[in-house]
Amino acid sequence: MSERTNRRELIVDAAAALFKEQGYTATSIRQIADQVGCTEAALYYHFKDGKRALLQAVLEDHAPSLMAILQGCEAAESLHELIICIGKNLSRAVNKENLDNFRWILAEFPRMSAEERAAVHSKHLEFEQLLAVQVERFVEDSALARKIAWTMVCAGFGFGQLFFNLEMDKLVDFTPKDLTEVMAMALPAVINMC
Amino acid sequence: MSERTNRRELIVDAAAALFKEQGYTATSIRQIADQVGCTEAALYYHFKDGKRALLQAVLEDHAPSLMAILQGCEAAESLHELIICIGKNLSRAVNKENLDNFRWILAEFPRMSAEERAAVHSKHLEFEQLLAVQVERFVEDSALARKIAWTMVCAGFGFGQLFFNLEMDKLVDFTPKDLTEVMAMALPAVINMC
DNA sequence: GTCTATAGTAAGATAGAC
DNA sequence: GTCTATCTTACTATAGAC
């Protein structure tokens, strides 16, 4: 992990935190400057195009990290084991930092430029392709493997949004472990059916 | 469907549209007034507590409608048929209106009051309970039935967010039909395992 | 109920001194 | 590089006439 101690980086980090907490439009240049301990003018020195340039820097530096989900999954020896492994990682990945990232990107997406959207897309595609590679080890039909991979991604993503960002975990007893168990029991059955 | 032609209702509808398009903080009272064709002062006559009161009115009147997802599902005669039925409804429910609603609620949730959050929660719980009733027709273990129901909800929700709101549908060929197929093949297998 | 007019505040952005 | 000072614009909200 880099140190990020020079002013430009401090500005990006402060902006990222505020954008994710309050949203892009709700956050003012002044607020970011206060947080960093400098003036608005100093901020405009580092980001000549103002707030929009700051948003782009945040999108580049603070994209949600998905790769941790796949850690250690190469060791799995069946689709069932693979899902259990991903489930364990998911429990760790479902945390404030990561899910605030997702919620924020989802919220700002409609107002992003084509380039900004493309950056978001490539991050997700990259992850799904790595996941698909793992699934393909156990599913010969590669089209089916990709469908299974995307189903897993949808379920995991939906779980994070509903139970963490919408705080359904406070009302309903349904954990990442439960989701994983259902998926681990269910998905391997698909292989034998085709 | 009610007519919603009096000024107060026109204001709420205009506010809802703008909030969902731009976000709450990014939308100004002035913009809403312009859209309706009145002045800001008129708006403050109807909503004495200003912008925040408007937000609450929008949350009450424009909650996303989930019930359409369950339409006709009482006719299903197996878990497989139930999932197929829901999948068909899902294809119709995955539209701009509905998903903009979800994205917006997700985005504003952290800034909602306790009462506002409770309103969001009860909508979701209500839906899940009706879904669980349907699933329980085919799954004796009611704890397992609820896990299956929530897994379906997570997958459906995640699909809507990823493929519609994040526009992954423009890059990846994975349709509501694909998701439904995988779930319909996979989930019934869980029953035989317990 | 709806208007005009305006108060008071905060926003994004820049010029120029150091 | 960072500051002070300032411009312009937009915002929420209210008072008072009609």
Side-chain angles (χ1 to χ4, degrees), chain A residues 24-26 108 111, chain B residues 18-19 21-29 31 51 108:
Chain A
Y24 172 74
T25 25
E108 303 295 346
R111 263 120 31 216
Chain B
L18 287 167
F19 287 166
E21 195 183 322
Q22 309 176 330
Y24 172 73
T25 26
T27 302
S28 71
I29 299 275
Q31 241 180 327
K51 210 180 167 184
E108 302 295 347

mmCIF file with all atom_site columns, all heavy atoms in Angstrom, chain A residues 24-26 108 111, chain B residues 18-19 21-29 31 51 108, chain D residues 10-12:
data_model
loop_
_atom_site.group_PDB
_atom_site.id
_atom_site.type_symbol
_atom_site.label_atom_id
_atom_site.label_alt_id
_atom_site.label_comp_id
_atom_site.label_asym_id
_atom_site.label_entity_id
_atom_site.label_seq_id
_atom_site.pdbx_PDB_ins_code
_atom_site.Cartn_x
_atom_site.Cartn_y
_atom_site.Cartn_z
_atom_site.occupancy
_atom_site.B_iso_or_equiv
_atom_site.pdbx_formal_charge
_atom_site.auth_seq_id
_atom_site.auth_comp_id
_atom_site.auth_asym_id
_atom_site.auth_atom_id
_atom_site.pdbx_PDB_model_num
ATOM 1   N N     . TYR A 1 24  ? -21.456 13.087 -4.673  1.00 0.00 ? 24  TYR A N     1
ATOM 2   C CA    . TYR A 1 24  ? -20.611 14.053 -5.385  1.00 0.00 ? 24  TYR A CA    1
ATOM 3   C C     . TYR A 1 24  ? -21.173 15.466 -5.304  1.00 0.00 ? 24  TYR A C     1
ATOM 4   O O     . TYR A 1 24  ? -20.511 16.400 -4.889  1.00 0.00 ? 24  TYR A O     1
ATOM 5   C CB    . TYR A 1 24  ? -20.460 13.612 -6.840  1.00 0.00 ? 24  TYR A CB    1
ATOM 6   C CG    . TYR A 1 24  ? -19.779 14.612 -7.739  1.00 0.00 ? 24  TYR A CG    1
ATOM 7   C CD1   . TYR A 1 24  ? -18.411 14.819 -7.662  1.00 0.00 ? 24  TYR A CD1   1
ATOM 8   C CD2   . TYR A 1 24  ? -20.504 15.356 -8.676  1.00 0.00 ? 24  TYR A CD2   1
ATOM 9   C CE1   . TYR A 1 24  ? -17.776 15.737 -8.495  1.00 0.00 ? 24  TYR A CE1   1
ATOM 10  C CE2   . TYR A 1 24  ? -19.885 16.263 -9.509  1.00 0.00 ? 24  TYR A CE2   1
ATOM 11  C CZ    . TYR A 1 24  ? -18.523 16.449 -9.413  1.00 0.00 ? 24  TYR A CZ    1
ATOM 12  O OH    . TYR A 1 24  ? -17.907 17.354 -10.238 1.00 0.00 ? 24  TYR A OH    1
ATOM 13  N N     . THR A 1 25  ? -22.419 15.632 -5.702  1.00 0.00 ? 25  THR A N     1
ATOM 14  C CA    . THR A 1 25  ? -23.004 16.979 -5.739  1.00 0.00 ? 25  THR A CA    1
ATOM 15  C C     . THR A 1 25  ? -23.151 17.587 -4.364  1.00 0.00 ? 25  THR A C     1
ATOM 16  O O     . THR A 1 25  ? -23.109 18.803 -4.220  1.00 0.00 ? 25  THR A O     1
ATOM 17  C CB    . THR A 1 25  ? -24.384 16.973 -6.423  1.00 0.00 ? 25  THR A CB    1
ATOM 18  O OG1   . THR A 1 25  ? -24.949 15.682 -6.294  1.00 0.00 ? 25  THR A OG1   1
ATOM 19  C CG2   . THR A 1 25  ? -24.254 17.332 -7.881  1.00 0.00 ? 25  THR A CG2   1
ATOM 20  N N     . ALA A 1 26  ? -23.347 16.743 -3.351  1.00 0.00 ? 26  ALA A N     1
ATOM 21  C CA    . ALA A 1 26  ? -23.559 17.268 -2.001  1.00 0.00 ? 26  ALA A CA    1
ATOM 22  C C     . ALA A 1 26  ? -22.245 17.697 -1.350  1.00 0.00 ? 26  ALA A C     1
ATOM 23  O O     . ALA A 1 26  ? -22.254 18.348 -0.310  1.00 0.00 ? 26  ALA A O     1
ATOM 24  C CB    . ALA A 1 26  ? -24.245 16.214 -1.131  1.00 0.00 ? 26  ALA A CB    1
ATOM 25  N N     . GLU A 1 108 ? -23.699 7.435  -8.663  1.00 0.00 ? 108 GLU A N     1
ATOM 26  C CA    . GLU A 1 108 ? -23.171 8.460  -9.568  1.00 0.00 ? 108 GLU A CA    1
ATOM 27  C C     . GLU A 1 108 ? -23.186 8.028  -11.037 1.00 0.00 ? 108 GLU A C     1
ATOM 28  O O     . GLU A 1 108 ? -23.047 8.866  -11.929 1.00 0.00 ? 108 GLU A O     1
ATOM 29  C CB    . GLU A 1 108 ? -21.729 8.825  -9.181  1.00 0.00 ? 108 GLU A CB    1
ATOM 30  C CG    . GLU A 1 108 ? -21.541 9.319  -7.747  1.00 0.00 ? 108 GLU A CG    1
ATOM 31  C CD    . GLU A 1 108 ? -22.248 10.642 -7.465  1.00 0.00 ? 108 GLU A CD    1
ATOM 32  O OE1   . GLU A 1 108 ? -22.666 11.315 -8.420  1.00 0.00 ? 108 GLU A OE1   1
ATOM 33  O OE2   . GLU A 1 108 ? -22.409 10.977 -6.277  1.00 0.00 ? 108 GLU A OE2   1
ATOM 34  N N     . ARG A 1 111 ? -24.659 9.909  -13.964 1.00 0.00 ? 111 ARG A N     1
ATOM 35  C CA    . ARG A 1 111 ? -24.073 11.214 -14.277 1.00 0.00 ? 111 ARG A CA    1
ATOM 36  C C     . ARG A 1 111 ? -22.629 11.127 -14.734 1.00 0.00 ? 111 ARG A C     1
ATOM 37  O O     . ARG A 1 111 ? -21.963 12.137 -14.909 1.00 0.00 ? 111 ARG A O     1
ATOM 38  C CB    . ARG A 1 111 ? -24.180 12.126 -13.039 1.00 0.00 ? 111 ARG A CB    1
ATOM 39  C CG    . ARG A 1 111 ? -25.366 13.052 -13.065 1.00 0.00 ? 111 ARG A CG    1
ATOM 40  C CD    . ARG A 1 111 ? -26.374 12.920 -11.937 1.00 0.00 ? 111 ARG A CD    1
ATOM 41  N NE    . ARG A 1 111 ? -25.923 12.497 -10.646 1.00 0.00 ? 111 ARG A NE    1
ATOM 42  C CZ    . ARG A 1 111 ? -26.646 11.714 -9.838  1.00 0.00 ? 111 ARG A CZ    1
ATOM 43  N NH1   . ARG A 1 111 ? -27.822 11.262 -10.235 1.00 0.00 ? 111 ARG A NH1   1
ATOM 44  N NH2   . ARG A 1 111 ? -26.205 11.372 -8.654  1.00 0.00 ? 111 ARG A NH2   1
ATOM 45  N N     . LEU B 1 18  ? -37.219 14.366 -10.682 1.00 0.00 ? 18  LEU B N     1
ATOM 46  C CA    . LEU B 1 18  ? -35.920 15.048 -10.624 1.00 0.00 ? 18  LEU B CA    1
ATOM 47  C C     . LEU B 1 18  ? -34.984 14.404 -9.601  1.00 0.00 ? 18  LEU B C     1
ATOM 48  O O     . LEU B 1 18  ? -33.789 14.256 -9.862  1.00 0.00 ? 18  LEU B O     1
ATOM 49  C CB    . LEU B 1 18  ? -36.124 16.539 -10.314 1.00 0.00 ? 18  LEU B CB    1
ATOM 50  C CG    . LEU B 1 18  ? -36.694 17.347 -11.479 1.00 0.00 ? 18  LEU B CG    1
ATOM 51  C CD1   . LEU B 1 18  ? -37.155 18.724 -11.024 1.00 0.00 ? 18  LEU B CD1   1
ATOM 52  C CD2   . LEU B 1 18  ? -35.670 17.481 -12.604 1.00 0.00 ? 18  LEU B CD2   1
ATOM 53  N N     . PHE B 1 19  ? -35.534 14.036 -8.442  1.00 0.00 ? 19  PHE B N     1
ATOM 54  C CA    . PHE B 1 19  ? -34.699 13.366 -7.433  1.00 0.00 ? 19  PHE B CA    1
ATOM 55  C C     . PHE B 1 19  ? -34.081 12.103 -8.018  1.00 0.00 ? 19  PHE B C     1
ATOM 56  O O     . PHE B 1 19  ? -32.905 11.824 -7.826  1.00 0.00 ? 19  PHE B O     1
ATOM 57  C CB    . PHE B 1 19  ? -35.521 13.003 -6.193  1.00 0.00 ? 19  PHE B CB    1
ATOM 58  C CG    . PHE B 1 19  ? -35.890 14.182 -5.329  1.00 0.00 ? 19  PHE B CG    1
ATOM 59  C CD1   . PHE B 1 19  ? -36.856 14.056 -4.339  1.00 0.00 ? 19  PHE B CD1   1
ATOM 60  C CD2   . PHE B 1 19  ? -35.278 15.417 -5.499  1.00 0.00 ? 19  PHE B CD2   1
ATOM 61  C CE1   . PHE B 1 19  ? -37.191 15.139 -3.527  1.00 0.00 ? 19  PHE B CE1   1
ATOM 62  C CE2   . PHE B 1 19  ? -35.619 16.509 -4.699  1.00 0.00 ? 19  PHE B CE2   1
ATOM 63  C CZ    . PHE B 1 19  ? -36.579 16.366 -3.713  1.00 0.00 ? 19  PHE B CZ    1
ATOM 64  N N     . GLU B 1 21  ? -33.605 11.327 -11.101 1.00 0.00 ? 21  GLU B N     1
ATOM 65  C CA    . GLU B 1 21  ? -32.707 11.572 -12.230 1.00 0.00 ? 21  GLU B CA    1
ATOM 66  C C     . GLU B 1 21  ? -31.376 12.147 -11.751 1.00 0.00 ? 21  GLU B C     1
ATOM 67  O O     . GLU B 1 21  ? -30.312 11.774 -12.239 1.00 0.00 ? 21  GLU B O     1
ATOM 68  C CB    . GLU B 1 21  ? -33.386 12.559 -13.194 1.00 0.00 ? 21  GLU B CB    1
ATOM 69  C CG    . GLU B 1 21  ? -32.740 12.637 -14.565 1.00 0.00 ? 21  GLU B CG    1
ATOM 70  C CD    . GLU B 1 21  ? -33.441 13.683 -15.420 1.00 0.00 ? 21  GLU B CD    1
ATOM 71  O OE1   . GLU B 1 21  ? -34.678 13.784 -15.332 1.00 0.00 ? 21  GLU B OE1   1
ATOM 72  O OE2   . GLU B 1 21  ? -32.744 14.423 -16.144 1.00 0.00 ? 21  GLU B OE2   1
ATOM 73  N N     . GLN B 1 22  ? -31.441 13.071 -10.778 1.00 0.00 ? 22  GLN B N     1
ATOM 74  C CA    . GLN B 1 22  ? -30.244 13.834 -10.422 1.00 0.00 ? 22  GLN B CA    1
ATOM 75  C C     . GLN B 1 22  ? -29.768 13.588 -9.003  1.00 0.00 ? 22  GLN B C     1
ATOM 76  O O     . GLN B 1 22  ? -28.649 13.987 -8.651  1.00 0.00 ? 22  GLN B O     1
ATOM 77  C CB    . GLN B 1 22  ? -30.564 15.336 -10.535 1.00 0.00 ? 22  GLN B CB    1
ATOM 78  C CG    . GLN B 1 22  ? -31.189 15.744 -11.849 1.00 0.00 ? 22  GLN B CG    1
ATOM 79  C CD    . GLN B 1 22  ? -31.557 17.212 -11.854 1.00 0.00 ? 22  GLN B CD    1
ATOM 80  O OE1   . GLN B 1 22  ? -31.861 17.791 -10.823 1.00 0.00 ? 22  GLN B OE1   1
ATOM 81  N NE2   . GLN B 1 22  ? -31.497 17.816 -13.027 1.00 0.00 ? 22  GLN B NE2   1
ATOM 82  N N     . GLY B 1 23  ? -30.604 12.965 -8.192  1.00 0.00 ? 23  GLY B N     1
ATOM 83  C CA    . GLY B 1 23  ? -30.289 12.853 -6.771  1.00 0.00 ? 23  GLY B CA    1
ATOM 84  C C     . GLY B 1 23  ? -30.936 13.989 -5.997  1.00 0.00 ? 23  GLY B C     1
ATOM 85  O O     . GLY B 1 23  ? -31.228 15.047 -6.560  1.00 0.00 ? 23  GLY B O     1
ATOM 86  N N     . TYR B 1 24  ? -31.133 13.765 -4.709  1.00 0.00 ? 24  TYR B N     1
ATOM 87  C CA    . TYR B 1 24  ? -31.828 14.729 -3.869  1.00 0.00 ? 24  TYR B CA    1
ATOM 88  C C     . TYR B 1 24  ? -31.063 16.049 -3.753  1.00 0.00 ? 24  TYR B C     1
ATOM 89  O O     . TYR B 1 24  ? -31.593 17.118 -4.026  1.00 0.00 ? 24  TYR B O     1
ATOM 90  C CB    . TYR B 1 24  ? -32.043 14.124 -2.481  1.00 0.00 ? 24  TYR B CB    1
ATOM 91  C CG    . TYR B 1 24  ? -32.577 15.080 -1.440  1.00 0.00 ? 24  TYR B CG    1
ATOM 92  C CD1   . TYR B 1 24  ? -33.897 15.503 -1.461  1.00 0.00 ? 24  TYR B CD1   1
ATOM 93  C CD2   . TYR B 1 24  ? -31.747 15.556 -0.426  1.00 0.00 ? 24  TYR B CD2   1
ATOM 94  C CE1   . TYR B 1 24  ? -34.385 16.373 -0.500  1.00 0.00 ? 24  TYR B CE1   1
ATOM 95  C CE2   . TYR B 1 24  ? -32.224 16.429 0.539   1.00 0.00 ? 24  TYR B CE2   1
ATOM 96  C CZ    . TYR B 1 24  ? -33.545 16.838 0.495   1.00 0.00 ? 24  TYR B CZ    1
ATOM 97  O OH    . TYR B 1 24  ? -34.018 17.695 1.442   1.00 0.00 ? 24  TYR B OH    1
ATOM 98  N N     . THR B 1 25  ? -29.805 15.959 -3.361  1.00 0.00 ? 25  THR B N     1
ATOM 99  C CA    . THR B 1 25  ? -29.020 17.179 -3.133  1.00 0.00 ? 25  THR B CA    1
ATOM 100 C C     . THR B 1 25  ? -28.760 17.957 -4.416  1.00 0.00 ? 25  THR B C     1
ATOM 101 O O     . THR B 1 25  ? -28.620 19.177 -4.371  1.00 0.00 ? 25  THR B O     1
ATOM 102 C CB    . THR B 1 25  ? -27.662 16.861 -2.480  1.00 0.00 ? 25  THR B CB    1
ATOM 103 O OG1   . THR B 1 25  ? -27.283 15.538 -2.816  1.00 0.00 ? 25  THR B OG1   1
ATOM 104 C CG2   . THR B 1 25  ? -27.739 17.011 -0.978  1.00 0.00 ? 25  THR B CG2   1
ATOM 105 N N     . ALA B 1 26  ? -28.689 17.243 -5.533  1.00 0.00 ? 26  ALA B N     1
ATOM 106 C CA    . ALA B 1 26  ? -28.391 17.911 -6.795  1.00 0.00 ? 26  ALA B CA    1
ATOM 107 C C     . ALA B 1 26  ? -29.619 18.621 -7.357  1.00 0.00 ? 26  ALA B C     1
ATOM 108 O O     . ALA B 1 26  ? -29.511 19.413 -8.284  1.00 0.00 ? 26  ALA B O     1
ATOM 109 C CB    . ALA B 1 26  ? -27.853 16.914 -7.808  1.00 0.00 ? 26  ALA B CB    1
ATOM 110 N N     . THR B 1 27  ? -30.770 18.345 -6.805  1.00 0.00 ? 27  THR B N     1
ATOM 111 C CA    . THR B 1 27  ? -32.002 18.953 -7.303  1.00 0.00 ? 27  THR B CA    1
ATOM 112 C C     . THR B 1 27  ? -32.374 20.171 -6.452  1.00 0.00 ? 27  THR B C     1
ATOM 113 O O     . THR B 1 27  ? -32.389 20.095 -5.228  1.00 0.00 ? 27  THR B O     1
ATOM 114 C CB    . THR B 1 27  ? -33.156 17.931 -7.257  1.00 0.00 ? 27  THR B CB    1
ATOM 115 O OG1   . THR B 1 27  ? -32.798 16.798 -8.043  1.00 0.00 ? 27  THR B OG1   1
ATOM 116 C CG2   . THR B 1 27  ? -34.433 18.546 -7.802  1.00 0.00 ? 27  THR B CG2   1
ATOM 117 N N     . SER B 1 28  ? -32.646 21.288 -7.117  1.00 0.00 ? 28  SER B N     1
ATOM 118 C CA    . SER B 1 28  ? -32.997 22.499 -6.381  1.00 0.00 ? 28  SER B CA    1
ATOM 119 C C     . SER B 1 28  ? -34.508 22.720 -6.382  1.00 0.00 ? 28  SER B C     1
ATOM 120 O O     . SER B 1 28  ? -35.224 22.277 -7.278  1.00 0.00 ? 28  SER B O     1
ATOM 121 C CB    . SER B 1 28  ? -32.302 23.713 -6.993  1.00 0.00 ? 28  SER B CB    1
ATOM 122 O OG    . SER B 1 28  ? -32.868 24.019 -8.240  1.00 0.00 ? 28  SER B OG    1
ATOM 123 N N     . ILE B 1 29  ? -34.945 23.414 -5.341  1.00 0.00 ? 29  ILE B N     1
ATOM 124 C CA    . ILE B 1 29  ? -36.345 23.812 -5.235  1.00 0.00 ? 29  ILE B CA    1
ATOM 125 C C     . ILE B 1 29  ? -36.772 24.566 -6.492  1.00 0.00 ? 29  ILE B C     1
ATOM 126 O O     . ILE B 1 29  ? -37.869 24.366 -7.012  1.00 0.00 ? 29  ILE B O     1
ATOM 127 C CB    . ILE B 1 29  ? -36.521 24.727 -4.008  1.00 0.00 ? 29  ILE B CB    1
ATOM 128 C CG1   . ILE B 1 29  ? -36.143 23.974 -2.720  1.00 0.00 ? 29  ILE B CG1   1
ATOM 129 C CG2   . ILE B 1 29  ? -37.925 25.288 -3.925  1.00 0.00 ? 29  ILE B CG2   1
ATOM 130 C CD1   . ILE B 1 29  ? -37.224 23.159 -2.131  1.00 0.00 ? 29  ILE B CD1   1
ATOM 131 N N     . GLN B 1 31  ? -35.656 24.307 -9.518  1.00 0.00 ? 31  GLN B N     1
ATOM 132 C CA    . GLN B 1 31  ? -35.842 23.379 -10.636 1.00 0.00 ? 31  GLN B CA    1
ATOM 133 C C     . GLN B 1 31  ? -37.213 22.717 -10.581 1.00 0.00 ? 31  GLN B C     1
ATOM 134 O O     . GLN B 1 31  ? -37.896 22.580 -11.602 1.00 0.00 ? 31  GLN B O     1
ATOM 135 C CB    . GLN B 1 31  ? -34.765 22.290 -10.539 1.00 0.00 ? 31  GLN B CB    1
ATOM 136 C CG    . GLN B 1 31  ? -33.829 22.214 -11.715 1.00 0.00 ? 31  GLN B CG    1
ATOM 137 C CD    . GLN B 1 31  ? -32.802 21.109 -11.511 1.00 0.00 ? 31  GLN B CD    1
ATOM 138 O OE1   . GLN B 1 31  ? -32.393 20.830 -10.377 1.00 0.00 ? 31  GLN B OE1   1
ATOM 139 N NE2   . GLN B 1 31  ? -32.394 20.494 -12.586 1.00 0.00 ? 31  GLN B NE2   1
ATOM 140 N N     . LYS B 1 51  ? -37.597 21.439 1.401   1.00 0.00 ? 51  LYS B N     1
ATOM 141 C CA    . LYS B 1 51  ? -37.103 20.348 0.574   1.00 0.00 ? 51  LYS B CA    1
ATOM 142 C C     . LYS B 1 51  ? -37.244 18.997 1.278   1.00 0.00 ? 51  LYS B C     1
ATOM 143 O O     . LYS B 1 51  ? -37.580 17.998 0.651   1.00 0.00 ? 51  LYS B O     1
ATOM 144 C CB    . LYS B 1 51  ? -35.634 20.625 0.254   1.00 0.00 ? 51  LYS B CB    1
ATOM 145 C CG    . LYS B 1 51  ? -35.164 20.079 -1.068  1.00 0.00 ? 51  LYS B CG    1
ATOM 146 C CD    . LYS B 1 51  ? -33.698 20.422 -1.279  1.00 0.00 ? 51  LYS B CD    1
ATOM 147 C CE    . LYS B 1 51  ? -33.110 19.631 -2.422  1.00 0.00 ? 51  LYS B CE    1
ATOM 148 N NZ    . LYS B 1 51  ? -31.665 19.884 -2.593  1.00 0.00 ? 51  LYS B NZ    1
ATOM 149 N N     . GLU B 1 108 ? -29.809 7.330  -1.559  1.00 0.00 ? 108 GLU B N     1
ATOM 150 C CA    . GLU B 1 108 ? -30.216 8.282  -0.511  1.00 0.00 ? 108 GLU B CA    1
ATOM 151 C C     . GLU B 1 108 ? -30.273 7.634  0.865   1.00 0.00 ? 108 GLU B C     1
ATOM 152 O O     . GLU B 1 108 ? -30.306 8.339  1.874   1.00 0.00 ? 108 GLU B O     1
ATOM 153 C CB    . GLU B 1 108 ? -31.582 8.893  -0.852  1.00 0.00 ? 108 GLU B CB    1
ATOM 154 C CG    . GLU B 1 108 ? -31.672 9.617  -2.194  1.00 0.00 ? 108 GLU B CG    1
ATOM 155 C CD    . GLU B 1 108 ? -30.798 10.858 -2.260  1.00 0.00 ? 108 GLU B CD    1
ATOM 156 O OE1   . GLU B 1 108 ? -30.310 11.318 -1.216  1.00 0.00 ? 108 GLU B OE1   1
ATOM 157 O OE2   . GLU B 1 108 ? -30.571 11.357 -3.380  1.00 0.00 ? 108 GLU B OE2   1
ATOM 158 P P     . DA  D 2 10  ? -26.537 30.682 -12.420 1.00 0.00 ? 10  DA  D P     1
ATOM 159 O OP1   . DA  D 2 10  ? -26.491 29.683 -13.510 1.00 0.00 ? 10  DA  D OP1   1
ATOM 160 O OP2   . DA  D 2 10  ? -27.373 31.901 -12.524 1.00 0.00 ? 10  DA  D OP2   1
ATOM 161 O "O5'" . DA  D 2 10  ? -26.973 29.935 -11.077 1.00 0.00 ? 10  DA  D "O5'" 1
ATOM 162 C "C5'" . DA  D 2 10  ? -26.277 28.767 -10.678 1.00 0.00 ? 10  DA  D "C5'" 1
ATOM 163 C "C4'" . DA  D 2 10  ? -26.652 28.464 -9.250  1.00 0.00 ? 10  DA  D "C4'" 1
ATOM 164 O "O4'" . DA  D 2 10  ? -26.220 29.566 -8.411  1.00 0.00 ? 10  DA  D "O4'" 1
ATOM 165 C "C3'" . DA  D 2 10  ? -28.164 28.365 -9.050  1.00 0.00 ? 10  DA  D "C3'" 1
ATOM 166 O "O3'" . DA  D 2 10  ? -28.491 26.975 -8.859  1.00 0.00 ? 10  DA  D "O3'" 1
ATOM 167 C "C2'" . DA  D 2 10  ? -28.441 29.155 -7.750  1.00 0.00 ? 10  DA  D "C2'" 1
ATOM 168 C "C1'" . DA  D 2 10  ? -27.072 29.601 -7.287  1.00 0.00 ? 10  DA  D "C1'" 1
ATOM 169 N N9    . DA  D 2 10  ? -27.056 30.979 -6.793  1.00 0.00 ? 10  DA  D N9    1
ATOM 170 C C8    . DA  D 2 10  ? -27.245 32.131 -7.492  1.00 0.00 ? 10  DA  D C8    1
ATOM 171 N N7    . DA  D 2 10  ? -27.164 33.230 -6.767  1.00 0.00 ? 10  DA  D N7    1
ATOM 172 C C5    . DA  D 2 10  ? -26.920 32.761 -5.498  1.00 0.00 ? 10  DA  D C5    1
ATOM 173 C C6    . DA  D 2 10  ? -26.723 33.410 -4.260  1.00 0.00 ? 10  DA  D C6    1
ATOM 174 N N6    . DA  D 2 10  ? -26.758 34.740 -4.116  1.00 0.00 ? 10  DA  D N6    1
ATOM 175 N N1    . DA  D 2 10  ? -26.502 32.637 -3.166  1.00 0.00 ? 10  DA  D N1    1
ATOM 176 C C2    . DA  D 2 10  ? -26.472 31.303 -3.323  1.00 0.00 ? 10  DA  D C2    1
ATOM 177 N N3    . DA  D 2 10  ? -26.629 30.581 -4.425  1.00 0.00 ? 10  DA  D N3    1
ATOM 178 C C4    . DA  D 2 10  ? -26.849 31.374 -5.489  1.00 0.00 ? 10  DA  D C4    1
ATOM 179 P P     . DC  D 2 11  ? -29.965 26.565 -8.464  1.00 0.00 ? 11  DC  D P     1
ATOM 180 O OP1   . DC  D 2 11  ? -30.073 25.172 -8.942  1.00 0.00 ? 11  DC  D OP1   1
ATOM 181 O OP2   . DC  D 2 11  ? -30.895 27.608 -8.947  1.00 0.00 ? 11  DC  D OP2   1
ATOM 182 O "O5'" . DC  D 2 11  ? -30.002 26.567 -6.866  1.00 0.00 ? 11  DC  D "O5'" 1
ATOM 183 C "C5'" . DC  D 2 11  ? -29.084 25.738 -6.139  1.00 0.00 ? 11  DC  D "C5'" 1
ATOM 184 C "C4'" . DC  D 2 11  ? -29.117 26.132 -4.679  1.00 0.00 ? 11  DC  D "C4'" 1
ATOM 185 O "O4'" . DC  D 2 11  ? -28.671 27.489 -4.542  1.00 0.00 ? 11  DC  D "O4'" 1
ATOM 186 C "C3'" . DC  D 2 11  ? -30.525 26.138 -4.092  1.00 0.00 ? 11  DC  D "C3'" 1
ATOM 187 O "O3'" . DC  D 2 11  ? -30.824 24.834 -3.613  1.00 0.00 ? 11  DC  D "O3'" 1
ATOM 188 C "C2'" . DC  D 2 11  ? -30.383 27.112 -2.929  1.00 0.00 ? 11  DC  D "C2'" 1
ATOM 189 C "C1'" . DC  D 2 11  ? -29.240 28.032 -3.361  1.00 0.00 ? 11  DC  D "C1'" 1
ATOM 190 N N1    . DC  D 2 11  ? -29.614 29.450 -3.654  1.00 0.00 ? 11  DC  D N1    1
ATOM 191 C C2    . DC  D 2 11  ? -29.595 30.399 -2.628  1.00 0.00 ? 11  DC  D C2    1
ATOM 192 O O2    . DC  D 2 11  ? -29.291 30.034 -1.486  1.00 0.00 ? 11  DC  D O2    1
ATOM 193 N N3    . DC  D 2 11  ? -29.924 31.685 -2.900  1.00 0.00 ? 11  DC  D N3    1
ATOM 194 C C4    . DC  D 2 11  ? -30.249 32.038 -4.155  1.00 0.00 ? 11  DC  D C4    1
ATOM 195 N N4    . DC  D 2 11  ? -30.555 33.321 -4.384  1.00 0.00 ? 11  DC  D N4    1
ATOM 196 C C5    . DC  D 2 11  ? -30.277 31.077 -5.213  1.00 0.00 ? 11  DC  D C5    1
ATOM 197 C C6    . DC  D 2 11  ? -29.969 29.812 -4.923  1.00 0.00 ? 11  DC  D C6    1
ATOM 198 P P     . DT  D 2 12  ? -32.332 24.508 -3.217  1.00 0.00 ? 12  DT  D P     1
ATOM 199 O OP1   . DT  D 2 12  ? -32.385 23.038 -3.075  1.00 0.00 ? 12  DT  D OP1   1
ATOM 200 O OP2   . DT  D 2 12  ? -33.200 25.205 -4.190  1.00 0.00 ? 12  DT  D OP2   1
ATOM 201 O "O5'" . DT  D 2 12  ? -32.564 25.200 -1.786  1.00 0.00 ? 12  DT  D "O5'" 1
ATOM 202 C "C5'" . DT  D 2 12  ? -31.842 24.727 -0.653  1.00 0.00 ? 12  DT  D "C5'" 1
ATOM 203 C "C4'" . DT  D 2 12  ? -32.204 25.592 0.547   1.00 0.00 ? 12  DT  D "C4'" 1
ATOM 204 O "O4'" . DT  D 2 12  ? -31.962 26.982 0.224   1.00 0.00 ? 12  DT  D "O4'" 1
ATOM 205 C "C3'" . DT  D 2 12  ? -33.675 25.491 0.955   1.00 0.00 ? 12  DT  D "C3'" 1
ATOM 206 O "O3'" . DT  D 2 12  ? -33.738 25.276 2.363   1.00 0.00 ? 12  DT  D "O3'" 1
ATOM 207 C "C2'" . DT  D 2 12  ? -34.269 26.834 0.566   1.00 0.00 ? 12  DT  D "C2'" 1
ATOM 208 C "C1'" . DT  D 2 12  ? -33.061 27.770 0.654   1.00 0.00 ? 12  DT  D "C1'" 1
ATOM 209 N N1    . DT  D 2 12  ? -33.140 28.968 -0.243  1.00 0.00 ? 12  DT  D N1    1
ATOM 210 C C2    . DT  D 2 12  ? -33.026 30.234 0.308   1.00 0.00 ? 12  DT  D C2    1
ATOM 211 O O2    . DT  D 2 12  ? -32.865 30.443 1.498   1.00 0.00 ? 12  DT  D O2    1
ATOM 212 N N3    . DT  D 2 12  ? -33.114 31.263 -0.617  1.00 0.00 ? 12  DT  D N3    1
ATOM 213 C C4    . DT  D 2 12  ? -33.302 31.145 -1.978  1.00 0.00 ? 12  DT  D C4    1
ATOM 214 O O4    . DT  D 2 12  ? -33.366 32.136 -2.693  1.00 0.00 ? 12  DT  D O4    1
ATOM 215 C C5    . DT  D 2 12  ? -33.409 29.787 -2.471  1.00 0.00 ? 12  DT  D C5    1
ATOM 216 C C7    . DT  D 2 12  ? -33.619 29.538 -3.926  1.00 0.00 ? 12  DT  D C7    1
ATOM 217 C C6    . DT  D 2 12  ? -33.328 28.768 -1.598  1.00 0.00 ? 12  DT  D C6    1
#
